[in-house]
Amino acid sequence: SQLLECHVRCYLYSRPFFPEAQPQRTDVAQFKAMRLNRPDDSLGAMLLTVLPTPIVHRIDSWSPFITSASDHENHSAKEDSEPGVYMNEAFRLAPEFRLCDCDVGNSYAMSCEACGDTFAGEKQLHAHIRYYARPTAGDTGAHAALLERLPKMPSWEEMRQQVSEFFQEQFAEVVCIVEGVDPVTSSSVQARHSYTYEDIVWDADFSDCVFDATFRDGVPCMCIDFAKFHDLHPV
């Protein structure tokens, strides 16, 4: 039988590497929640355990893989003095955010330094800056000054480089928790698993382990080949 109300949570535990001669500090260790795109954590990250389900965390500007402890310390001092300037970056005390909410128009990712208007992405922000930078727009020149340094979100190459540097500078462990209710005993059941840098495989995806089949009486069905459950293929 499958678990009732089954859902998943993921956390990132990280702490910087210290030289052996330097005292090992524990106050810089962080345990941060990872926002999930699949299953959608805004809907409870519910799982239907009938079939294998990939768990997807999108690495964006708000991902804990990108926002290190030093970033939070630098930005926290500017939160009150420069509101909106660092809208596309994470803050130490702010709730965790995810870029996919901006992709579908449910939130804003970037702000204009000249006027403070907010936008879902860099495409809309760049169009806004170019429009008001026109000589006939009657702007004071603040938008025109931004043309030379148009704000942009990091590319996937830059994201990958930052993730690599993150694991080189810190010990990191992803903790995945699946929990639900046993339908027989009504007891809460929880399973935990952790992944470190040695478990990460770049440029790969899970191979398909679900295929169509038929019972002996000819009735069609679906089968799961658990021998291929952990197989990967390059992408």
Side-chain angles (χ1 to χ4, degrees), residues 44-146:
M46 305 303 294
L47 291 172
L48 182 63
T49 54
V50 174
L51 295 174
T53 303
I55 308 301
V56 178
H57 165 76
R58 178 179 176 180
I59 298 178
D60 52 34
S61 297
W62 294 271
S63 171
F65 290 103
I66 300 298
T67 54
S68 63
S70 59
D71 292 333
H72 292 318
E73 293 173 358
N74 293 336
H75 296 163
S76 59
K78 302 179 181 179
E79 289 181 17
D80 297 330
S81 60
E82 299 183 39
V85 174
Y86 298 97
M87 188 176 183
N88 62 326
E89 300 173 3
F91 294 125
R92 180 169 56 90
L93 300 179
E96 303 296 339
F97 195 67
R98 57 181 187 175
L99 188 59
C100 68
D101 294 322
C102 305
D103 294 339
V104 296
N106 291 338
S107 188
Y108 300 115
M110 309 188 77
S111 62
C112 177
E113 296 182 30
C115 63
D117 282 352
T118 54
F119 304 90
E122 64 180 57
K123 183 177 180 180
Q124 295 88 342
L125 175 58
H126 291 180
H128 163 83
I129 293 175
R130 292 191 178 98
Y131 180 82
Y132 283 100
R134 296 175 302 130
T136 57
D139 186 65
T140 59
H143 288 87
L146 294 178

Side-chain angles (χ1 to χ4, degrees), residues 150-196:
L150 286 174
K152 67 181 184 69
M153 301 294 264
S155 64
W156 71 268
E157 295 92 346
E158 295 171 333
M159 287 284 191
R160 178 163 176 166
Q161 179 63 30
Q162 292 183 53
V163 173
S164 299
E165 293 175 354
F166 174 86
F167 281 105
Q168 293 172 9
E169 299 171 355
Q170 308 191 48
F171 169 81
E173 182 178 11
V174 176
V175 180
C176 183
I177 301 175
V178 177
E179 53 191 353
V181 178
D182 185 281
V184 178
T185 64
S186 297
S187 301
S188 297
V189 179
Q190 185 179 92
R192 296 184 296 272
H193 194 80
S194 65
Y195 304 88
T196 60

